[in-house]
Amino acid sequence: MRVPVITGTDAFSVPSAPRGPAAPETATTVAAVRTALPPHRYTQDDLTEPIGDLCLPPGADRAVLRRLHASAGVRTRHLTLPIEQYAELGDFGQCNDAWMAAGLELGEEALTGALKEAGLEPADVDLLVCASITGIGAPSLDARLAGRVGLRPDIKRLPVFGLGCVAGAAGLSRVHDYLRGHPHDTAVLLTVELCSLTLQQRDDSPANLVAGALFGDGAAALVARGSSCGTGAAIAPGRAGPSVVATRSRLYPDTEQLLGWDIGASGFRVVIDAGVPGIVRDHFGRHLRAFLAEHGLTIDDIETWMCHPGGPKVLSAVTDTLGLPDGALDSAWHSLATVGNMSSVSVLHILQNTWQSLRPEPGAWGLLMAMGPGFCSELVLLRW
């Protein structure tokens, strides 16, 4: 399978007169996005046999495992711990302790980096939304971060668990909802996903083996500002981020069993049903087209597609059901290849890369989209 690489500004053509409405006066501006990755980086080939040692019984045939790793579309990934230390994680408590310790480090790096990029201080943040589906804590991760980074004591906090891969897009949607009602405020969406810590030892189920082939670890922070704020002193002219024009959430009935966790004594046991690409092909395109039509747009008007990289089959299903041209989802394929599927972090990682590498022209339309447990999807219409 090809692994495309973003190389410049020629990946998408930009029409001289973009269609559709202007960004509304209540639009949210994305002021910065910053991704933080753990230091332990591995090639896919380096991980295949160690993950087999963790998941398969001694002497088991590894043909399926090796085939999954070869076809996952992943070249490299970052892990929270050195790969040899995962066998020492004896139970869910130890995995969750590792999630909290590493999550605080990565979360702080992403959060402070994004604020610096936006030209803001921690005391400027009015709302912090913190999403993760790979660990839990009370006090929550955001509460423990507040004092470390200097957030105000009166900051509004919203920890979110359960959205999974869709949380990057859904979190931006809910931040936008908040800022429409608080146009003078600044909000941060922080996602922390340490997927490797959920890998189940001695579990040779297809879902666990697929997860072991696809998922990587990381954190991302997005700074958003209400319509009555500036974008931040550090943003150079012509480099402002996109505005959120509209959002759309969708639950697909009778699909709850397709994606999520079975939670037990060993922690989070992944559920990934083979029917997910079929749901995408049957329903996703129709709902997406209807959403765009409400704003006077069609698929041909979208110039930057930022899609959560659920895996090769999901990306292919999105391309087929939307009839996208070759290269439209290169940003998703590139993210999958270089860092794997990082759950809710991935779509923010793709947004950051699109902003930095493609540098869309002012007025260009973008669509950020993700899917997750429920089964559900989230669409965010952007204008650069």
Side-chain angles (χ1 to χ4, degrees), residues 19-380:
R19 291 175 54 192
E25 293 183 0
T26 56
T28 295
T29 299
V30 178
V33 187
R34 177 63 63 90
T35 304
L37 302 170
H40 310 293
R41 181 175 180 268
Y42 295 92
T43 67
Q44 184 81 322
D45 290 343
D46 288 339
L47 290 176
T48 301
E49 298 308 319
I51 288 177
D53 294 340
L54 286 170
C55 299
L56 300 178
D61 184 2
R62 299 195 173 192
V64 171
L65 171 83
R66 291 165 182 160
R67 187 164 62 250
L68 286 171
H69 278 243
S71 62
V74 178
R75 276 200 317 249
T76 57
R77 285 182 278 168
H78 294 252
L79 303 185
T80 300
L81 303 174
I83 185 60
E84 61 272 11
Q85 292 185 14
Y86 284 84
E88 302 170 9
L89 298 173
D91 58 25
F92 173 57
Q94 291 179 329
C95 292
N96 201 66
D97 287 346
W99 170 84
M100 180 60 77
L104 286 171
E105 295 292 332
L106 285 175
E108 179 177 359
E109 179 183 345
L111 176 56
T112 57
L115 288 173
K116 182 179 180 180
E117 184 176 320
L120 299 171
E121 299 294 332
D124 295 321
V125 181
D126 301 289
L127 170 72
L128 174 60
V129 177
C130 184
S132 181
I133 201 173
T134 53
I136 54 176
S140 54
L141 195 66
D142 50 292
R144 302 183 194 211
L145 275 172
R148 286 174 62 127
V149 303
L151 299 174
R152 297 198 317 265
D154 66 343
I155 189 171
K156 306 175 185 75
R157 297 181 297 109
L158 183 61
V160 177
F161 178 89
L163 287 175
C165 295
V166 81
L172 177 54
S173 295
R174 302 294 78 80
V175 162
H176 172 60
D177 291 341
Y178 169 83
L179 290 175
R180 289 180 66 189
H182 300 80
H184 295 277
D185 281 9
T186 295
V188 172
L189 168 65
L190 175 66
T191 63
V192 178
E193 302 290 11
L194 309 183
C195 305
S196 66
L197 296 173
T198 69
L199 191 67
Q200 298 293 291
Q201 298 187 36
R202 296 295 172 257
D203 178 358
D204 60 357
S205 66
N208 195 52
L209 296 184
V210 168
L214 274 177
F215 286 97
D217 298 345
L222 178 149
V223 179
R225 311 206 77 192
S227 58
S228 296
C229 296
T231 57
I235 304 299
R239 293 289 293 119
S243 295
V244 179
V245 175
T247 70
R248 176 60 49 82
S249 304
R250 173 70 64 169
L251 275 168
Y252 300 90
D254 303 318
T255 59
E256 297 90 346
Q257 75 285 354
L258 292 183
L259 192 65
W261 297 127
D262 282 335
I263 301 176
S266 62
F268 301 130
R269 188 171 186 267
V270 70
V271 175
I272 305 176
D273 192 277
V276 169
I279 295 295
V280 174
R281 293 180 192 276
D282 292 343
H283 302 288
F284 184 66
R286 173 164 45 89
H287 295 145
L288 185 147
R289 287 183 176 90
F291 171 63
L292 292 180
E294 293 175 10
H295 302 281
L297 300 170
T298 68
I299 286 173
D300 291 339
D301 295 312
I302 303 301
E303 293 141 46
T304 55
W305 294 90
M306 292 153 282
C307 180
H308 171 71
K313 291 183 179 179
V314 172
L315 288 176
S316 295
V318 171
T319 299
D320 292 345
T321 194
L322 298 181
L324 295 178
D326 291 343
L329 297 187
D330 275 4
S331 59
W333 286 104
H334 179 69
S335 180
L336 180 66
T338 55
V339 293
N341 180 340
M342 298 187 293
S343 190
S344 64
V345 175
S346 282
V347 78
L348 301 182
H349 178 252
I350 292 168
L351 174 59
Q352 177 183 340
N353 286 343
T354 300
W355 190 350
Q356 293 178 347
S357 300
L358 295 181
R359 300 197 176 189
E361 294 292 331
W365 289 99
L367 193 67
L368 184 143
M369 50 192 179
M371 288 155 273
F375 183 74
C376 67
S377 64
E378 192 79 25
L379 306 174
V380 183

